[in-house]
Amino acid sequence: MTKLSILDQSPVSAGSTPEMALKNTVRLAQEAEKMGYSRFWVSEHHDTRSLAGSSPEVLISYLAASTEKIRVGSGGVMLPHYSSYKVAENFRILEALAPGRIDLGIGRAPGGMPNATRALQDGNPKDIRLYPEQIDDLLSYLHDQLPENHPYEGLSATPILSHAPELWMLGSSGSSAQLAAEKGLSFTFAHFINGYDGPAAVRFYRNNFKPSAFNEKPNVIVAIFVVCAETQEEAEELASSIDLSILSIEKGMRTEGIPSVETAKNYPYSAYDWSRIRENRQRIIVGTPQKVKETVTRLQELYGADEFMMVSLMHDMDAKIKSYELLAKEFQL
């Protein structure tokens, strides 16, 4: 049975508010738990009017308190901005409050524009080349394995627990796959960001995986945009919001939230715009429950994925929940 999970970016629908976007994320997590989804992750984005989730660790704590059994986690924490020690403490707190339910997904993307990165790092830019060392430190703090020659030898990330959150490395390139394989970590490939290079990256990860104290074997999640509806026509209509939203990001347009279907219908698309939309559809599955399942099955064979994580930027929340309900029923979660 294919395992399905959800990554929610707390999208702010045009005409709505960030407060409502966050309430919708909580509502979706509760519904996802009832439907049988395995995990519910939230993202980290900065200085944007379209996505409300800027602090996944804070949101995760509320989600864990608002649900009972579904795993909740970050997709992800952008580690280069932060101290590995503080990230370890944050997620140890979460793991203590919701034992066995916390996932720590980490990435190295900025999650925003350069000005936001400068502000997050307080004007002291960090060397992205130190990311592998940051991961080592994070693992050491989470598992109380700080080496003897470490500058902070003897330091513990509190609270000290007998168990740790699951650590997942997120990426959309071969370099992330390589790093995950070298360190023996679970790997999530962002197909919704890069619709082409994933299978090769995952094959490299599996073929070069080094068993570690954290994982004996490779684990793979593939994250992809999905729009599901009872008819293909309805799914295509709902997907127009995502089409325009992605296009706007590519064109550097400062939008006021995820556009409605009506806005998308009336947008003056150029020939170039349509070509970009067709290209971006490589990252999106659009269709009826049967069509979505057929596509996921093909992708599962292509990737050898253990799990799929669905992402949606629909404008209408009820349609979004209905989409996930249809998938849960089709996949018999």
Side-chain angles (χ1 to χ4, degrees):
M1 186 176 67
T2 305
K3 292 177 67 176
L4 296 186
S5 295
I6 294 174
L7 167 62
D8 195 59
Q9 298 172 306
S10 302
V12 182
S13 296
S16 187
T17 64
E19 291 90 343
M20 182 54 67
L22 293 171
K23 288 180 180 178
N24 284 340
T25 292
V26 177
R27 176 187 171 193
L28 183 58
Q30 292 169 331
E31 293 298 327
E33 182 172 69
K34 295 174 187 175
M35 295 177 207
Y37 284 87
S38 298
R39 308 171 198 269
F40 190 92
W41 287 3
V42 290
S43 61
E44 177 183 330
H45 293 91
H46 304 284
D47 192 30
T48 172
R49 296 178 183 273
S50 296
L51 304 172
S54 58
S55 181
E57 57 270 56
V58 174
L59 186 50
I60 289 167
S61 66
Y62 196 92
L63 293 173
S66 302
T67 54
E68 295 180 359
K69 59 183 180 180
I70 193 170
R71 296 192 67 93
V72 290
S74 58
V77 169
M78 300 297 102
L79 191 59
H81 295 318
Y82 311 113
S83 153
S84 293
Y85 182 66
K86 187 56 182 175
V87 172
E89 287 196 323
N90 285 340
F91 277 80
R92 275 193 154 184
I93 286 282
L94 293 170
E95 178 68 19
L97 292 171
R101 294 179 55 206
I102 301 299
D103 295 332
L104 170 52
I106 57 171
R108 59 180 157 191
M113 299 305 288
N115 208 34
T117 295
R118 286 190 288 270
L120 285 163
Q121 299 176 6
D122 203 22
N124 299 307
K126 294 185 178 180
D127 189 344
I128 193 67
R129 292 174 297 182
L130 297 178
Y131 180 57
E133 294 178 23
Q134 279 193 287
I135 295 172
D136 290 339
D137 284 347
L138 179 60
L139 288 166
S140 295
Y141 290 131
L142 289 174
H143 295 274
D144 295 307
Q145 295 177 353
L146 210 60
E148 292 183 0
N149 60 346
H150 194 278
Y152 305 127
E153 180 184 349
L155 180 66
S156 295
T158 52
I160 299 172
L161 307 176
S162 60
H163 46 90
E166 281 189 15
L167 186 68
W168 288 80
M169 181 171 290
L170 317 182
S172 58
S173 68
S175 59
S176 295
Q178 180 179 356
L179 195 55
E182 288 175 357
K183 297 188 180 298
L185 299 176
S186 299
F187 181 54
T188 300
F189 186 83
H191 187 102
F192 71 99
I193 295 175
N194 179 355
Y196 292 98
D197 301 328
V202 170
R203 278 196 302 274
F204 181 92
Y205 165 74
R206 287 193 180 279
N207 291 337
N208 294 275
F209 180 85
K210 296 179 180 178
S212 66
F214 318 109
N215 292 297
E216 294 181 357
K217 61 182 181 62
N219 300 302
V220 176
I221 294 176
V222 174
I224 187 168
F225 281 126
V226 175
V227 177
C228 185
E230 292 179 341
T231 67
Q232 186 67 33
E233 181 181 14
E234 183 184 0
E236 294 288 346
E237 187 174 79
L238 291 169
S240 64
S241 290
I242 298 181
D243 291 333
L244 180 54
S245 183
I246 295 174
L247 180 66
S248 298
I249 293 170
E250 289 185 340
K251 296 171 74 171
M253 299 166 58
R254 184 90 171 182
T255 60
E256 296 297 321
I258 306 302
S260 66
V261 169
E262 193 65 27
T263 297
K265 281 183 178 179
N266 295 323
Y267 186 83
Y269 297 99
S270 66
Y272 172 79
D273 292 339
W274 283 118
S275 70
R276 288 308 309 155
I277 287 173
R278 287 192 295 271
E279 187 75 9
N280 286 327
R281 280 296 182 98
Q282 299 298 319
R283 304 190 261 157
I284 312 171
I285 305 176
V286 180
T288 62
Q290 183 179 6
K291 180 179 179 181
V292 172
K293 186 174 183 179
E294 289 172 354
T295 306
V296 167
T297 300
R298 288 198 299 272
L299 285 173
Q300 189 169 29
E301 293 171 355
L302 190 62
Y303 273 99
D306 303 295
E307 186 174 338
F308 277 84
M309 186 163 279
M310 310 308 199
V311 192
S312 175
L313 288 178
M314 288 189 214
H315 177 271
D316 184 270
M317 186 60 186
D318 290 334
K320 182 175 178 177
I321 289 177
K322 180 66 174 179
S323 176
Y324 284 124
E325 286 177 343
L326 291 170
L327 291 175
K329 183 177 180 180
E330 184 69 23
F331 283 85
Q332 299 180 329
L333 299 186

